[in-house]
Amino acid sequence: MSILSQKSFHKLLPVVALWTIMGCSSSKPTPAVTDTATVEPAPAVPAPPPYGPAEIKRQVLASEALKNRFVGFALYDPELKQMVVEHNADKYFVPASNTKLFTFYASLKMLGDSIPALKYVVRGDSLIFWGTGDPTFTHMDLKNTLAYDFLKNRKEKLYYLEAPFESTPFGQNWGWDDYNYYYQPERSVFPIHGNIVKFVKKTGGSSYSVTPKRFKALVKTDTTRNASKDPFVRAWRSNDLQYFPKHAAASYSVEVPFIPSADMTVKLLADTLKRSVTLLKKRALPQDGQIFYGLPADTVIKRMLQVSDNLFAEQLMALCSGTLSDTLSVERAIKHVTKTYLADLPDAPVWVDGSGLSSQNMFTPRSIIALLQKLQQERPEERLLPLLATGGQPGTFRAIYQAPVPYVFGKSGTLSHVHNQSGYIKTKSGKLLLFSFMNNNYSTSSAEIRNEMVRIMTEVHERY
């Protein structure tokens, strides 16, 4: 080998070696190091249950268990003519002010387009008049001067007769210790000013005003305190009143019921009309009395339903009884309506008053659904729904179901450990459903129960 060849050979040795190494490496690749542990796939997220009757009932049951209460629920589709969901729908519940739906129906069946404001006869130079139970005479919140103007402008001398009234001032099983509060005025044959005394003080004012003024002389100031912390307290069975300035705010509007009587009615009438009114005692009602009509019935019914006015509810039933007899009786009207118009309800109602203040009222959710159907038969939707409490609108539903277009129309009802809602709900799919959601025997706050109902019913609106 030449010197040149030897040099070339030595130069080629590293290249040959590299080729050899590369060739070996490519022919036998080094195995990759792997983790021998098994990799589990991520668990699949379960799909939410389809929204429908089963899911609605599941939510109702879960809510009942969560808040530990007795729940009755009924959701009805009038297009399908069948229940969508039922839970304890055949069980009796204390309805509270859901009772007013029954009073509403009674009024539609027994009263005409206008409320009978009073009855009267003319005898020579005398006008003799008596009450029908109309609660709107000089009412402070519902302006009505029809009967007032009629009596004010008559040329005859005015004589008042007290119509017979079989009902007691308080209904069966009402809370006697609520006598001092605005929501429980006494029932009577001729309510005036809503049978309440109103005390008003404006910010910066030095004293309060009293309406009717007659009661101002009966108020005595007491500089001590009282257990209820009420600024005004009426005596149990008299119209004597105490004012407790230590419980009074800088401004207030307080209403306290007064005890009505024939003598008090005449005095208040004379004060209001600014003319003499004489009480006729122990005389039978004339049989040829004429009716003077007052406000449209819908106006009175609407206030009863939307602000849950208890006096209006009781007096509407008294007005209904006046179509049966000159003797007014809430109980007689209830008996008549139950026998004549409600005999076909799924479950016989236990109905004792017009307002629902009594805890002895008992209705089942499915009977309330049947009543809601009867109301639809009496009125078309455009005349029925506006009378009811409406979501987001002034009334008892003003703080719930708020929406640009209202979708819940009904009646709430609240007593101690009782909170219910019944009525009509419009869904986004275009359905109008009937519902009754009743809650009894809970120990939590009514606000929590209300929130549960609103949550479930709002989802019905959104998704059903």
Side-chain angles (χ1 to χ4, degrees):
M1 183 178 293
S2 66
I3 295 174
L4 179 61
S5 300
Q6 289 179 354
K7 289 181 179 178
S8 299
F9 176 75
H10 287 301
K11 289 180 179 178
L12 291 171
L13 281 175
V15 177
V16 173
L18 180 60
W19 284 349
T20 304
I21 293 170
M22 291 178 64
C24 294
S25 176
S26 60
S27 61
K28 294 181 180 181
T30 304
V33 178
T34 59
D35 187 354
T36 57
T38 303
V39 178
E40 296 289 341
V45 177
Y51 192 81
E55 174 60 12
I56 296 170
K57 186 166 186 175
R58 185 198 67 77
Q59 291 187 17
V60 171
L61 293 175
S63 177
E64 180 178 37
L66 178 66
K67 297 300 180 181
N68 190 24
R69 65 194 192 278
F70 184 41
V71 170
F73 184 80
L75 186 65
Y76 181 82
D77 188 333
E79 285 187 9
L80 301 177
K81 296 183 179 180
Q82 65 182 28
M83 287 286 191
V84 176
V85 180
E86 289 184 276
H87 174 59
N88 289 331
D90 60 342
K91 301 297 189 293
Y92 283 93
F93 289 80
V94 175
S97 283
N98 274 201
T99 303
K100 292 182 175 73
L101 292 171
F102 287 76
T103 298
F104 176 23
Y105 181 68
S107 300
L108 293 182
K109 298 299 290 187
M110 299 186 68
L111 300 176
D113 292 337
S114 298
I115 296 294
L118 55 84
K119 291 184 177 181
Y120 70 98
V121 294
V122 176
R123 298 285 190 264
D125 64 349
S126 303
L127 186 140
I128 302 169
F129 68 99
W130 57 97
T132 59
D134 177 15
T136 68
F137 188 86
T138 62
H139 194 278
M140 296 184 210
D141 297 319
L142 189 67
K143 303 306 179 184
N144 171 29
T145 64
L146 295 172
Y148 171 88
D149 290 340
F150 173 77
L151 294 174
K152 174 77 173 176
N153 297 321
R154 294 293 298 203
K155 296 180 180 179
E156 300 91 349
K157 297 177 183 178
L158 298 181
Y159 292 88
Y160 175 73
L161 267 175
E162 184 85 335
F165 192 42
E166 288 184 345
S167 297
T168 54
F170 292 159
Q172 185 176 337
N173 205 47
W174 285 13
W176 68 268
D177 51 347
D178 288 335
Y179 77 91
N180 195 64
Y181 298 108
Y182 74 94
Y183 54 81
Q184 192 168 294
E186 297 190 12
R187 307 184 289 193
S188 66
V189 293
F190 201 118
I192 299 182
H193 306 303
N195 284 353
I196 60 101
V197 184
K198 192 169 188 175
F199 303 91
V200 176
K201 183 181 178 184
K202 297 181 179 179
T203 302
S206 58
S207 62
Y208 56 84
S209 63
V210 183
T211 308
K213 292 181 180 180
R214 170 169 291 276
F215 290 95
K216 189 169 186 177
L218 300 177
V219 181
K220 294 183 179 179
T221 300
D222 191 324
T223 58
T224 64
R225 298 179 183 271
N226 63 74
S228 61
K229 299 182 180 180
D230 294 315
F232 293 92
V233 178
R234 199 201 77 212
W236 165 231
R237 292 318 297 159
S238 79
N239 284 316
D240 294 328
L241 293 145
Q242 288 179 292
Y243 170 53
F244 294 85
K246 290 184 178 179
H247 294 310
S251 63
Y252 53 78
S253 177
V254 178
E255 296 177 351
V256 176
F258 65 80
I259 299 174
S261 65
D263 287 330
M264 180 59 73
T265 298
V266 167
K267 291 175 182 177
L268 291 174
L269 282 168
D271 292 345
T272 303
L273 296 169
K274 294 181 171 54
R275 59 179 297 186
S276 176
V277 181
T278 302
L279 175 63
L280 296 178
K281 297 182 179 181
K282 298 180 180 180
R283 289 185 57 170
L285 297 182
Q287 296 301 305
D288 56 342
Q290 299 181 63
I291 299 175
F292 179 81
Y293 287 96
L295 290 175
D298 279 8
T299 301
V300 180
I301 291 168
K302 184 175 182 178
R303 177 178 171 81
M304 173 194 69
L305 292 171
Q306 293 194 350
V307 304
S308 204
D309 192 303
N310 293 320
L311 180 67
F312 275 39
E314 298 298 330
Q315 298 299 141
L316 278 168
M317 293 309 298
L319 281 158
C320 287
S321 73
T323 66
L324 305 173
S325 166
D326 284 335
T327 299
L328 304 185
S329 168
V330 171
E331 294 76 19
R332 179 181 291 135
I334 289 173
K335 185 176 180 180
H336 174 79
V337 174
T338 301
K339 181 179 179 180
T340 308
Y341 303 116
L342 300 178
D344 57 347
L345 290 183
D347 308 290
V350 181
W351 184 12
V352 302
D353 68 10
S355 62
L357 282 170
S358 175
S359 59
Q360 290 190 358
N361 292 301
M362 291 195 302
F363 306 130
T364 66
R366 67 182 185 182
S367 284
I368 292 180
I369 294 294
L371 182 78
L372 294 170
Q373 291 176 272
K374 287 177 176 290
L375 288 170
Q376 287 181 305
Q377 294 167 7
E378 295 296 319
R379 287 290 180 87
E381 181 179 316
E382 64 272 14
R383 293 186 60 208
L384 172 62
L385 300 188
L387 296 177
L388 297 159
T390 302
Q393 303 298 314
T396 55
F397 280 4
R398 63 187 176 278
I400 56 178
Y401 302 119
Q402 296 177 340
V405 179
Y407 61 90
V408 173
F409 312 84
K411 187 74 199 73
S412 61
T414 308
L415 291 172
S416 296
H417 318 298
V418 173
H419 195 38
N420 311 309
Q421 292 177 6
S422 298
Y424 307 89
I425 182 166
K426 291 184 175 181
T427 70
K428 286 189 172 181
S429 66
K431 286 183 173 291
L432 178 68
L433 305 176
L434 286 54
F435 75 96
S436 183
F437 203 151
M438 309 191 79
N439 304 266
N440 284 191
N441 302 332
Y442 55 82
S443 59
T444 187
S445 70
S446 291
E448 289 186 50
I449 304 303
R450 180 194 63 212
N451 292 341
E452 283 293 291
M453 287 192 287
V454 170
R455 176 181 64 81
I456 292 171
M457 296 311 300
T458 299
E459 193 159 2
V460 170
H461 161 70
E462 294 281 345
R463 300 179 62 189
Y464 188 77

